[in-house]
Each structure stands twice: as structure tokens, then as C-alpha cells.
Amino acid sequence: MKVLIVGGGGREHAIAVKCSESKLVDKLYAAPGNAGIAKLAECVDISVMDADKLVAFAKEKDIDLTIIGPDDPLVAGVADAFTAAGLRVFGPAKNAAIIEGSKAFSKDLMKKYNIPSAAYEVFDNANAALSYLETAKMPIVLKADGLALGKGVLICNNLDEAKAGVKTLMLDKQFGAAGDKIVIEEFMTGREVSVLCFCDGTHIKPMTSAQDHKRAKDGDKGLNTGGMGTFSPSPFYTEDIDKFCKEKIYQPTMDAMKAEGRDFTGILFCGLMLTEDGPKVLEYNARFGDPEAQVVLPRMINDIIEVMEACIDGKLDEIDLQFEDNAAVCVILASDGYPEHYDKGFVISGLDTFDDKDGYYVFHAGTKLTDKGIVTNGGRVLGVTAKGEDLFKARANAYEATKWIDFENKYMRNDIGKAIDEQ
Ligand code: AMP
Ligand code: GLY
């Protein structure tokens, strides 16, 4: 089979590694890919948002399956363009990807179908939002309705912060049109867990759990980022919690989307908060998490193409989804200063060290191949993942492997997976 991966981050590199291990794949392409993916796939310089060019390329190369990685093209309907052209694509249609594209949509869906989540109100008028806040309980959470690179969520400790947040989102439009509408949500406390699920429109199969560290600095300090590291599985996601989520969250979400005429095919990412009152949905995403994919996929035993094909064909119930009985930790190597200002263009050394090491991976996120070699080209540069027989060993292995890589202004958190010490 010929397979095209749309995207060029660490998540797509993790997908590419898994595809390259598939017995069904003869040739792999990526658009636009990156310097790491280029070792496994032929990369073509087409934007993830350019549906016409992507479809034309897939036709020209006789691509059998296209996998769309990022949220933006899914929410914009790039999967629909493939389907309309009679091409097979893995990723939800636009009318289903709205579960990530609009927080108001997902909150209304959960309310209508009794899926556990925080209490909320939706506002498209700043004055109404401000007067609602006057009597609301603090802390409180403000969320831009639309996509905002994972940064459109503001946790506000008091009324002043909340009012300033409404101004940031709705009046100053820091996230553009994404803030035309906002969700104001009850603040929840508990452990966070990410569970990524394969979906075929009717059936849903959760993968092993993972946890992300979103803040830039150790001890969950600093600004929110796209994610500074992950571990899998989460020791807090017990069998009882899994059973509850399957019955009350995952399958009900599939059924709700079907009932709305929005059959969801692809990856449904359930961001959960394990509260005292039980698990509740923080957010849905319509794709693999980044960097959750970098710890979940290396532990997956199945052939990823077989699973994705089963999703497209509505036969996911025939798949026995299996994960290794071990653990993985991913530490993001970032450019110092991320997520604000940072320099790039520094030569990266040590990448080859990973070539002959089983159970170790270096996923490229912000890198570029130049005549000087591979250089840094973004805030999140690389994801260093290692497996181990348990989380402690996986963490020790991952931090050891971070030492193999060097570049000027290399920055990482030193406490990825540390929550497990409290166990
Ligand atoms: P989201 O993009 O919706 O996952 O939100 C980003 C982060 O904000 C989450 O990972 C949580 O840490 C936090 N968050 C979102 N919603 C809530 C909530 N209702 N209560 C507490 N924290 C929240
Ligand atoms: N790591 C969080 C996300 O991919 O949305």
C-alpha cells in the first residue's frame, strides 16, 4: 500500500514510525513532513490546509490511504475533500471534527446526552459574560470556542482575572475569531488523564492512557504550552475508572455523534479530569494528542494500518487492540524561551545515537534539514521517548537519552512523569 501522512510534527513522526513497521505499507509519503519523517517517508512540500493540492497529489501517486494528523485541516474539512474525490482517508469529516473545533458544540453535546462534564454557560456577548461573572463562583475557567493552538483556556482565580480574561478573549481577540464566543465553565480539581480512542462511527476502542505536562516549567509552573512531555500509562487510570468511562463517556459520545448525524471516524481524544465525583470530560480532540501519540503509539502492538482500515470500514469491533505491558515516557526538548520568544537555527547533534537503540525514539517536531545539517526550527524541537518495564524505568531511560542530544539553548522539564512518585 501507498500511505500519505498529512502533518509535520512529533505526532506525525510517531505515526510515521508505526506505519513504517506495518507489513501492509510499501511506500510512505508525508506532506509536509519534517527532517525526522524524511528518513522514513518521501516528503512533499504541500501545506496541511491545501486540500486541492493534497487530493491532486494523492491521485497522482495512487495513494491507498491518507492519514490526517493535525486538528486544523480536520476542522476545516480536508478529510471531506478526500472522501469526495473517492479516496480513502483516516480522520473525521468536518461535521464530526466540530467536537474539537467548537467547545460550545461539545459542551452542548455532553449536556444533551448526559456525558459527565463541568457545568457551563456559553456567551457571544462580552457584557453578558461580564455580568454573569459578578455572581459566579471562583476560580472559574474561560475557554475560547474555536481552535487556539491549545492556548485558549484561561483559569481565573478571582473576579478581576476573570474580567481581564473576557477582555483578552472577546474584546482584544487574542485568539482571533476563536474568541467570538466563549464557554465559561466550573473549575474542577483532580488528576488529568488523556485517553485516545480509535472510532469507526459506531464502535469505539480506547488505547492505553497517557498524561501530558502542559506547563513550561518544573512543578507545573510557567505558561501553558502545547505539551512538555508525557507518560503512559497513567497509574491513576484504574480498571474501575476505565469501566466507568467506557460506559458513561466513550460509547455515549459515539452514540451521541451518530444520533446527531455526525458519525465520528478517526481518533477521539478524551481529556478527562478524575474528580471526587468521578471522571469528567475536560475536552475532546478529533486527533491524536501531541505528545501523547509519542508515548502511546510506541506501546501499541497492532499494525496501525489494519486498525485504521477497520475504522474506515466500520469494522473496528473485529480488532483486538493490544498494548505492551510496559511504560513509556516522552521528554520534549524545546528551545529556551518557548512558548514565548526563542531563537532557532542551531545545529542538533547526537540524533544518530538513537538508530540502533531498541525502545528509544527521537521524534522530530521543530527541526529543519539545512546544508549545516539538522537544525532547530521551532519551540518544541524534539520528543525523546523511552520505554521501560515500569514508569520509573521508562523515566530514567528517557532522561538518560536526553543527554545524547545537544543543541544551543536546549531546554526541558526535569520532572516529566514525576507525579508517579506520589503513588
Ligand atoms: P483544554 O484545552 O480544554 O484541555 O484545557 C487546557 C487545560 O486547562 C486542561 O488540561 C486543564 O488543565 C485545564 N482546564 C480546562 N478546563 C478545566 C476545568 N473545567 N477545571 C479545571 N481545569 C481545567
Ligand atoms: N497534548 C495535548 C494535545 O495534543 O492537545
Side-chain angles (χ1 to χ4, degrees):
M1 276 175 74
K2 292 185 194 167
V3 173
L4 167 65
I5 298 170
V6 175
R11 162 184 47 214
E12 287 76 27
H13 193 179
I15 295 171
V17 168
K18 227 29 217 165
C19 288
S20 72
E21 291 167 358
S22 166
K23 59 181 189 307
L24 299 169
V25 176
D26 304 306
K27 171 95 184 157
L28 208 51
Y29 294 91
N34 64 32
I37 295 173
K39 280 193 162 182
L40 308 166
E42 190 176 320
C43 295
V44 281
D45 193 14
I46 305 176
S47 155
V48 301
M49 297 302 283
D50 196 335
D52 292 345
K53 274 201 185 142
L54 289 169
V55 166
F57 178 80
K59 280 189 171 165
E60 181 201 320
K61 297 288 182 190
D62 265 329
I63 302 287
D64 299 293
L65 171 66
T66 298
I67 302 165
I68 303 181
D71 43 3
D72 285 316
L74 290 166
V75 170
V78 173
D80 304 57
F82 278 81
T83 309
L87 295 168
R88 279 167 78 78
V89 62
F90 181 79
K94 182 177 180 174
N95 76 348
I98 190 173
I99 200 166
E100 171 165 10
S102 166
K103 296 220 190 258
F105 170 87
S106 72
K107 293 298 292 185
D108 290 346
L109 186 86
M110 287 185 271
K111 187 188 229 171
K112 183 168 172 189
Y113 293 93
N114 287 317
I115 297 166
S117 184
Y120 74 104
E121 297 286 338
V122 179
F123 296 92
D124 56 12
N125 173 299
N127 284 333
L130 289 168
S131 61
Y132 170 82
L133 287 172
E134 294 287 346
T135 55
K137 195 166 157 251
M138 299 291 149
I140 202 155
V141 185
L142 310 185
K143 300 186 173 184
D145 178 52
L147 294 181
L149 296 169
K151 292 171 192 148
V153 174
L154 306 177
I155 314 274
C156 306
N157 291 307
N158 52 50
L159 184 58
D160 285 346
E161 279 182 32
K163 283 181 169 171
V166 169
K167 183 169 178 297
T168 305
L169 296 176
M170 302 191 85
L171 301 175
D172 301 345
K173 301 241 173 273
Q174 190 167 329
F175 301 103
D180 286 350
K181 209 192 265 183
I182 65 166
V183 169
I184 300 188
E185 195 177 275
E186 166 203 4
F187 177 76
M188 301 188 286
T189 51
R191 289 269 167 209
E192 283 187 44
V193 185
S194 304
V195 179
L196 284 50
C197 309
F198 283 102
C199 306
D200 72 359
T202 307
H203 312 98
I204 178 162
K205 296 226 168 182
M207 294 177 231
T208 182
S209 61
Q211 188 178 324
D212 189 8
H213 297 259
K214 286 204 167 103
R215 300 294 196 97
K217 302 225 160 85
D218 285 8
D220 285 332
K221 304 257 167 25
L223 293 173
N224 249 326
T225 70
M228 293 301 293
T230 36
F231 59 91
S232 169
S234 163
F236 309 103
Y237 188 80
T238 60
E239 270 179 33
D240 281 353
I241 290 176
D242 184 54
K243 187 164 175 286
F244 176 93
C245 292
K246 282 178 177 146
E247 279 170 16
K248 306 282 187 199
I249 295 177
Y250 310 145
Q251 193 60 49
T253 305
M254 286 306 285
D255 298 345
M257 290 298 276
K258 193 177 257 315
E260 296 290 313
R262 298 171 182 274
D263 292 28
F264 189 100
T265 305
I267 302 293
L268 182 71
F269 168 140
C270 298
L272 306 172
M273 180 81 93
L274 308 180
T275 74
E276 274 191 350
D277 303 329
K280 295 189 180 181
V281 177
L282 277 170
E283 63 159 350
Y284 292 116
N285 294 318
R287 49 165 176 90
F288 280 103
D290 190 345
E292 283 85 347
Q294 290 93 309
V295 283
V296 168
L297 289 179
R299 297 184 54 230
M300 188 167 122
I301 293 170
N302 304 68
D303 183 318
I304 194 171
I305 300 293
E306 265 176 23
V307 182
M308 288 181 167
E309 295 245 279
C311 289
I312 297 170
D313 295 331
K315 293 179 178 168
L316 185 58
D317 54 325
E318 294 173 12
I319 296 281
D320 179 16
L321 198 58
Q322 290 190 338
F323 290 82
E324 293 169 0
D325 183 17
N326 57 10
V329 168
C330 173
V331 180
I332 296 294
L333 303 186
S335 301
D336 198 10
Y338 171 73
E340 293 183 292
H341 173 78
Y342 52 83
D343 295 324
K344 44 192 195 182
F346 300 116
V347 176
I348 305 170
S349 65
L351 291 166
D352 295 346
T353 319
F354 287 78
D355 287 350
D356 56 355
K357 302 268 195 312
D358 252 11
Y360 292 84
Y361 306 78
V362 61
F363 298 115
H364 291 233
T367 65
K368 194 166 126 185
L369 183 60
T370 68
D371 46 17
K372 287 191 285 182
I374 294 178
V375 302
T376 64
N377 191 43
R380 291 193 294 177
V381 178
L382 299 164
V384 169
T385 294
K387 295 198 256 191
E389 60 192 67
D390 59 27
L391 280 168
F392 290 97
K393 296 215 170 77
R395 187 167 97 204
N397 292 342
Y399 274 105
E400 183 59 31
T402 61
K403 295 181 195 156
W404 305 341
I405 300 282
D406 207 15
F407 56 86
E408 212 175 309
N409 85 347
K410 169 178 150 186
Y411 172 79
M412 66 184 160
R413 272 183 63 162
N414 296 296
D415 62 351
I416 302 301
K418 202 133 190 215
I420 55 183
D421 290 349
E422 297 162 25
Q423 274 274 92

